[in-house]
Amino acid sequence: MSASISRPSGPARLRQAARESVSGLPRQFWWLWTSTLINRLGAFVATFLALYLTVARGYSASYAGLVGALYGLGGVISSVGAGVLTDRLGRRPTMLIAQLSTAASVALLGFMENPVAIAAVAGVVGMATNASRPAVQAMMADIVAPEDRVRAFSLNYWAINLGFAVSSTAAGLIAQHGYLALFLGESTLVLACALVVFWKLPESRPAAGAPDGADGAAHAPVSMRTVLRDGRFMTVVGLNLLLALLFQQAYVSMPVSMGRDGFSSADFGLVIAVNGVLIVLLQIPVTRFIEHRSPAMLLIGSALLAGYGFGLTALAGSVAMYAVAVTVWTLGEIINSPTQMGLVVRLSPLHGRGRYQGMYTLSWSIASLAAPLLGGVVIDHYGADALWAGCAVVGTVAAMGYGLLLRSLPGRTRAGKVASSTAAGGNATAETAGTAPSPVPGAETGAVPGAETGAVTGAPAGANEPAGAGEPVA
């Protein structure tokens, strides 16, 4: 006699899927996730800086473009420097320095009136804002088990877009009471983010001298020269730069193209909102589908979706068709972001994660600086259709590059087993055979700092010998 098995109802399946999407991640990850959400909820200034300069201050569009370029240049400069600090000084102190600097410089920018002073402080804001990214990504790689990293990066990316969606809406309302409130509001929320980091996030940098591989060998010194000589990784950075140049066209070239076709700013707002809505709705379920699949196939597919999604813009003659194009490249973005970040961690040596993440962040910073220039030149000289056709070509080239590069990607080695820690009721995952990680207060089931080596520093920054002691100066 066969017993019938009742399937859970639709709501029950959704609840089960939601639980599985967030289960097994350590408490430290969720505090890091919370700090990211708070930070993005206050991301007012970068979004409304051009409007502030042209509307509230009465400066020209050219001056606003110059300030925006200096803001982007600041991010380019800080990417590599912050990566080095992340490895040498630590994840936690680098985040705190970046966040406190951001809070101070953003508040200062709101009071600047001289055009030279505004441009200079905007460059400092760009440097400070971008400086925390390598540290956040390195800490996330430290504290999350390898098999959960794609899911963790996806949840973090979801928080970024959820926060951005809320902040963009709130900023418009706050600006009605004066733009100074935007600057002070962002400064306050960034300070709140720093408090979360200070009180809830212990340092996760692996202890100096911890082995870098499953064979227990001592780690080799890592400098920026090491990163630049890593051909496979630098190729990934180059391919990511190509895709980043595509995604940046959504915020520069697409509104220009729509304006030339007679569409209003409200039409563009409606179209670009599709991107945020889809990420909020689909990022987590799509990640559940892709997280254990081949990164090579996912990156190839995401590059094609991005390239041909932007290519479809050339055929758009209505708001609905623009929305279709946005839907296609947004799917590419949803697949690409967590997969790419997981690949970067996979290719990074343990004691060089900050530098590697800094170089990866640099590719995005360069794209944000170069994309407006490239898009504008192509549209002015060859027309918008040529730009969108070029995007399809770039997406195809990136897909071919991923296909060639990742054919021989080594499989993940699981040399270690789960090692239990009785302190604070936490469990830990160790990737290195025979090395049990130190307990982290309050850790839940999942990976803890130092999961790949079993060596952690649960104390505040500075309690241990600086990571990278004896390494060449980057």
Side-chain angles (χ1 to χ4, degrees):
M1 183 178 68
S2 61
S4 61
I5 301 176
S6 61
R7 297 183 56 141
S9 62
R13 287 200 300 272
L14 287 176
R15 287 193 296 270
Q16 180 181 354
R19 283 194 299 269
E20 291 174 354
S21 295
V22 301
S23 64
L25 295 170
R27 182 175 300 171
Q28 191 172 352
F29 165 79
W30 289 111
W31 282 117
L32 187 60
W33 183 91
T34 300
S35 72
T36 297
L37 180 61
I38 294 172
N39 196 15
R40 296 307 298 175
L41 285 171
F44 303 138
V45 172
T47 306
F48 282 80
L49 184 58
L51 281 176
Y52 164 72
L53 293 173
T54 55
V55 175
R57 292 291 188 180
Y59 291 114
S60 67
S62 298
Y63 174 77
L66 172 63
V67 173
L70 289 174
Y71 180 95
L73 180 61
V76 171
I77 294 171
S78 68
S79 295
V80 174
V84 174
L85 282 179
T86 296
D87 284 337
R88 299 187 68 83
L89 190 61
R91 283 70 157 135
R92 183 174 180 265
T94 301
M95 280 191 278
L96 287 173
I97 291 171
Q99 289 158 0
L100 293 175
S101 300
T102 299
S105 59
V106 164
L108 181 62
L109 182 60
F111 291 99
M112 292 294 100
E113 296 186 0
N114 182 277
V116 176
I118 290 174
V121 176
V124 174
V125 172
M127 291 180 64
T129 302
N130 206 57
S132 64
R133 294 177 184 175
V136 169
Q137 292 162 0
M139 178 175 278
M140 199 168 298
D142 293 339
I143 64 180
V144 176
E147 62 271 16
D148 293 328
R149 282 182 188 144
V150 169
R151 181 160 56 102
F153 283 127
S154 178
L155 287 166
N156 193 65
Y157 192 64
W158 183 76
I160 290 172
N161 282 278
L162 178 63
F164 179 76
V166 174
S167 69
S168 298
T169 303
L173 300 175
I174 296 172
Q176 294 177 1
H177 302 282
Y179 278 92
L180 180 60
L182 288 181
F183 291 92
L184 297 181
E186 176 164 343
S187 179
T188 300
L189 285 173
V190 174
L191 280 176
C193 179
L195 288 175
V196 171
V197 172
F198 182 79
W199 289 110
K200 294 297 184 180
L201 288 174
E203 178 57 63
S204 70
R205 182 192 60 194
D212 221 353
D215 58 0
H219 70 87
V222 178
S223 68
M224 286 310 301
R225 184 178 299 178
T226 308
V227 181
L228 293 172
R229 288 179 174 177
D230 188 337
R232 183 192 295 271
F233 176 77
M234 290 305 298
T235 303
V236 169
V237 171
L239 294 172
N240 183 72
L241 175 60
L242 291 180
L243 292 184
L245 288 170
L246 294 185
F247 290 127
Q248 289 294 325
Q249 300 306 321
Y251 307 100
V252 181
S253 300
M254 192 167 76
V256 172
S257 177
M258 291 184 69
R260 290 192 170 192
D261 288 342
F263 294 97
S264 67
S265 58
D267 293 330
F268 171 72
L270 181 62
V271 167
I272 201 62
V274 173
N275 172 255
V277 170
L278 287 177
I279 290 175
V280 171
L281 293 179
L282 298 181
Q283 185 70 64
I284 294 176
V286 168
T287 300
R288 283 177 52 80
F289 177 75
I290 69 172
E291 63 178 320
H292 298 302
R293 299 180 185 274
S294 163
M297 296 306 299
L298 293 173
L299 290 170
I300 291 170
S302 66
L304 292 174
L305 285 169
Y308 287 94
F310 280 101
L312 280 175
T313 309
L315 305 178
S318 64
V319 170
M321 191 60 198
Y322 272 106
V324 169
V326 170
T327 299
V328 174
W329 61 254
T330 298
L331 289 174
E333 181 182 2
I334 289 172
I335 294 170
N336 179 269
S337 178
T339 308
Q340 183 90 277
M341 294 172 75
L343 178 63
V344 169
V345 173
R346 192 171 172 181
L347 296 177
S348 306
L350 180 65
H351 291 271
R353 275 181 180 158
R355 290 173 171 87
Y356 274 68
Q357 290 289 354
M359 185 59 68
Y360 172 69
T361 302
L362 179 64
S363 66
W364 284 100
S365 299
I366 292 175
S368 67
L369 186 61
L373 301 175
L374 290 174
V377 168
V378 172
I379 289 177
D380 285 342
H381 289 82
Y382 304 103
D385 288 350
L387 174 66
W388 305 128
C391 287
V393 173
V394 170
T396 303
V397 170
M400 293 172 62
Y402 282 123
L404 293 173
L405 177 70
L406 301 180
R407 284 184 306 175
S408 57
L409 183 68
R412 178 181 293 137
T413 301
R414 291 290 296 165
K417 302 295 182 182
V418 174
S420 298
S421 171
T422 57
N427 294 323
T429 302
E431 264 191 282
T432 305
T435 311
S438 304
V440 173
E444 295 177 345
T445 302
V448 298
E452 291 205 28
T453 64
V456 301
T457 57
N464 296 281
E465 179 186 354
E471 295 178 18
V473 177

